């Protein structure tokens, strides 16, 4: 029992460290506002959710964002958003997969998790995160919308920013993270499981 507890702590710590490093390898995608940066840091939490359970995936999300806080360029808002939206995705996928551990279940879980993440991310950005950027960072809404309009002329207000920027960005991110995880999980699972 003690050995498996130690292995869980080591595995969560290792995956958190990898996730933290992956946060630095962020890049901008064409057709998306410049404040939406793509990175692969949700792969380690997803691996943890598959191997150990959804709660451990959330632990990895917490740790990677907490250790990223000192270098935050968003007064912590970006890290909170990354944690909440990433946790919704990882938890959804992990809960579904834990009920039936099969390839088919994993695929279904990642598709549903991506949709849930995109919807939750859109609602949270509309009502919580973008208003926080305005209030705490002093970014006017027009400037935030302007970043979207600069890459997509269909973005003219907050609703179109969500519809043409944030929602499709999260769908794409969920798809890519899911695909990579699907391709590597089987090879890594013997090392990750308790």
């Amino acid at each position: 029992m003690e050995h498996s507890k130690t292995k869980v702590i080591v595995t969560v710590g290792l995956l958190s460290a990898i996730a933290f490093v992956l946060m630095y390898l962020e890049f901008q995608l064409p057709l998306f506002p410049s404040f939406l940066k793509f990175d692969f840091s949700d792969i380690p939490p997803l691996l943890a959710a598959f191997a150990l359970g959804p709660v451990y995936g959330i632990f990895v999300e917490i740790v990677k964002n907490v250790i990223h806080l000192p270098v935050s360029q968003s007064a912590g808002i970006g890290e909170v958003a990354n944690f909440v939206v990433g946790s919704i995705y990882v938890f959804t996928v992990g809960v579904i997969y834990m009920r039936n551990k099969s390839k088919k279940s994993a695929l279904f879980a990642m598709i549903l998790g991506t949709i849930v993440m995109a919807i939750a991310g859109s609602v949270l950005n509309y009502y919580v995160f973008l208003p926080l950027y305005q209030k705490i960072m002093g970014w006017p809404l027009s400037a935030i919308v302007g970043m979207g309009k600069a890459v997509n002329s269909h973005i003219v207000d907050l609703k179109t920013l969500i519809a043409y920027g944030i929602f499709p960005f999260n769908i794409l991110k969920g798809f890519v993270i899911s695909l990579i995880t699907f391709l590597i999980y089987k090879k890594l699972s013997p090392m990750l499981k308790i």
Side-chain angles (χ1 to χ4, degrees):
M1 186 69 178
E2 196 60 44
H3 176 69
S4 63
K5 266 188 192 174
T6 305
K7 186 165 184 202
V8 168
I9 292 166
V10 169
T11 302
V12 168
L14 182 64
L15 289 171
S16 299
I18 294 167
F20 170 69
V21 170
L22 290 174
M23 284 182 93
Y24 278 101
L25 305 176
E26 64 181 14
F27 53 93
Q28 191 180 335
L29 294 172
L31 304 177
F32 291 105
S34 58
F35 62 86
L36 292 175
K37 299 281 197 292
F38 192 96
D39 67 58
F40 299 98
S41 69
D42 285 325
I43 294 172
L46 193 54
L47 290 171
F50 276 134
L52 306 170
V55 172
Y56 294 100
I58 292 173
F59 282 156
V60 175
E61 288 282 356
I62 289 171
V63 175
K64 78 167 182 174
N65 280 291
V66 167
I67 58 179
H68 195 265
L69 268 176
V71 293
S72 176
Q73 296 177 340
S74 64
I77 301 165
E79 286 73 19
V80 171
N82 185 288
F83 164 69
V84 173
V85 175
S87 293
I88 289 168
Y89 169 61
V90 164
F91 187 78
T92 304
V93 174
V95 165
I96 294 167
Y97 181 70
M98 284 296 135
R99 290 171 191 241
N100 177 19
K101 295 182 179 185
S102 68
K103 264 189 180 181
K104 194 174 176 183
S105 172
L107 277 173
F108 173 73
M110 289 187 287
I111 291 166
L112 190 62
T114 297
I115 294 165
V116 169
M117 173 181 67
I119 292 168
S122 298
V123 171
L124 288 165
N125 270 288
Y126 189 85
Y127 290 107
V128 181
F129 301 131
L130 292 176
L132 275 175
Y133 275 113
Q134 290 174 73
K135 195 170 189 161
I136 294 171
M137 300 290 288
W139 293 1
L141 182 59
S142 58
I144 297 170
V145 170
M147 287 186 233
K149 191 176 176 101
V151 291
N152 184 338
S153 61
H154 296 294
I155 297 174
V156 293
D157 57 17
L158 187 54
K159 285 182 181 167
T160 53
L161 175 64
I162 301 293
Y164 297 117
I166 290 167
F167 182 82
F169 176 85
N170 280 322
I171 290 285
L172 177 64
K173 184 174 183 176
F175 174 76
V176 172
I177 297 296
S178 296
L179 179 64
I180 293 169
T181 304
F182 188 76
L183 293 173
I184 66 172
Y185 177 67
K186 206 69 182 159
K187 292 175 184 77
L188 296 177
S189 65
M191 291 182 286
L192 299 171
K193 286 182 178 166
I194 317 163

